[in-house]
Amino acid sequence: AARRGEEAVAQAGAAAHRGLVCVSLLAGSLPPVDASAFLSRHARPLFPPVAASSAACSGAPLPLALLRVLLPSLLSRGVEPAAAIQPLIDALHSTSAATPAAATVAASLVLAHPPVALPEVERLLDSPLPTQRANGLTVLASACRLAGRRGLERRGMAGDVLSSLVPRLSDAELSSRALAAGLFDRLEPARVLPAVAPLLTSPLAEARAAAADAMFASLCGGGGAAAAAAVVDTLRDASGAPAGIAAPPRHPGEIGRDASRCGEAGPAQAAPLLAASLSSGSCGGTQQGGLPDDDGGGEGDSGGESGGGGGGG
């Protein structure tokens, strides 16, 4: 009986998906203004097949693309936000990897409606299943690429993205740690360094390495004098020096003895470890998972607003 029920759900989802393809072709044949009005007018009857198709075809970007268009109308007509983004939740909570196209559409949805959609991605990042955590990171990577540093700050998302990424630097999966570390190039050093520096004293070598990569990514992403000031402030705060005075780091040769005792190190030890980590690296693209900077043009800040075109990350 359970198997027959699952088969019936799958068949209903496939039929709904075919219907959405027809609706999309019809809307695509109309002028943009008429297409938008048509989809907005029929948002409520279209929502159930969108939800069914998202559950049955989790890797398909079409249901999420339609949801991206329908969501403003659904919310304005009194549909609860949690119910309105259920298709997004169904698509992302799949146990299979999200396709790049689906991740990009989901990212544009997150950027367009961060208060509604971002918490769901954050919950996905805390999933016990590695594939779901990876899906959450993939969507976040696409959102960071589309928005850029300025876009994340302008939308008020930078703090939430930072708090979501820091725990992933200690993820058990190397691929998740590498992708998370690379995403810090879209966050300002003044935010990143104070939040990540304590991980330099983690008892886990993997977390220490990922923390160093994250700081490199943030510093290499730009910032100039502001990045230098963030380094000075973080060193001062970690060493306990008075405001306005940066405690000089010890000779790099002494760092090895601190690193060997990382399990016992406290906040004061983070300063020399940070200094050694920053002095031993370069910004020549050594981080894994880094993303090109779109702040200056291209999709950049406007990508999330305009519907999330382009390839997925």
Side-chain angles (χ1 to χ4, degrees), residues 114-177:
V116 178
L118 184 58
E120 295 302 328
V121 177
E122 292 171 344
R123 278 191 277 273
L124 201 65
L125 293 174
D126 292 330
S127 169
L129 300 179
T131 304
Q132 292 185 347
R133 294 199 303 275
N135 284 348
L137 281 171
T138 300
V139 172
L140 209 54
S142 293
C144 289
R145 176 181 61 80
L146 291 169
R149 281 190 177 188
R150 291 192 297 271
L152 292 177
E153 291 286 348
R154 190 178 66 245
R155 292 175 175 86
M157 294 174 57
D160 291 331
V161 170
L162 174 65
S163 62
S164 297
L165 287 177
V166 170
R168 301 281 63 81
L169 297 176
S170 303
D171 198 283
E173 299 292 325
L174 172 60
S175 58
S176 292
R177 293 196 304 273

Side-chain angles (χ1 to χ4, degrees), residues 179-204:
L179 179 55
L183 295 183
F184 282 85
D185 72 347
R186 295 309 170 100
L187 298 171
E188 296 292 341
R191 288 183 181 274
V192 171
L193 268 60
V196 174
L199 285 177
L200 293 173
T201 62
S202 169
L204 300 175

Side-chain angles (χ1 to χ4, degrees), residues 75-291:
L75 295 177
S76 68
R77 286 169 168 77
V79 177
E80 289 295 325
I85 63 168
Q86 190 60 45
L88 174 65
I89 300 172
D90 292 337
L92 296 182
H93 279 74
S94 169
T95 54
S96 58
T99 63
T104 300
V105 175
S108 71
L109 189 61
V110 169
L111 292 173
H113 306 280
V116 178
L118 184 58
E120 295 302 328
V121 177
E122 292 171 344
R123 278 191 277 273
L124 201 65
L125 293 174
D126 292 330
S127 169
L129 300 179
T131 304
Q132 292 185 347
R133 294 199 303 275
N135 284 348
L137 281 171
T138 300
V139 172
L140 209 54
S142 293
C144 289
R145 176 181 61 80
L146 291 169
R149 281 190 177 188
R150 291 192 297 271
L152 292 177
E153 291 286 348
R154 190 178 66 245
R155 292 175 175 86
M157 294 174 57
D160 291 331
V161 170
L162 174 65
S163 62
S164 297
L165 287 177
V166 170
R168 301 281 63 81
L169 297 176
S170 303
D171 198 283
E173 299 292 325
L174 172 60
S175 58
S176 292
R177 293 196 304 273
L179 179 55
L183 295 183
F184 282 85
D185 72 347
R186 295 309 170 100
L187 298 171
E188 296 292 341
R191 288 183 181 274
V192 171
L193 268 60
V196 174
L199 285 177
L200 293 173
T201 62
S202 169
L204 300 175
E206 297 85 355
R208 297 196 298 272
D213 285 346
M215 288 188 288
F216 283 138
S218 180
L219 290 169
C220 294
V231 173
V232 171
D233 289 343
T234 303
L235 289 171
R236 183 192 66 223
D237 294 343
S239 64
I245 301 176
R250 283 171 286 173
H251 188 278
E254 301 179 33
I255 303 302
R257 292 196 293 275
D258 284 332
S260 67
R261 299 194 300 272
C262 277
E264 305 171 3
Q269 282 70 46
L273 288 173
L274 173 61
S277 296
L278 296 177
S279 65
S280 64
S282 67
C283 293
T286 58
Q287 299 81 14
Q288 298 184 49
L291 296 169

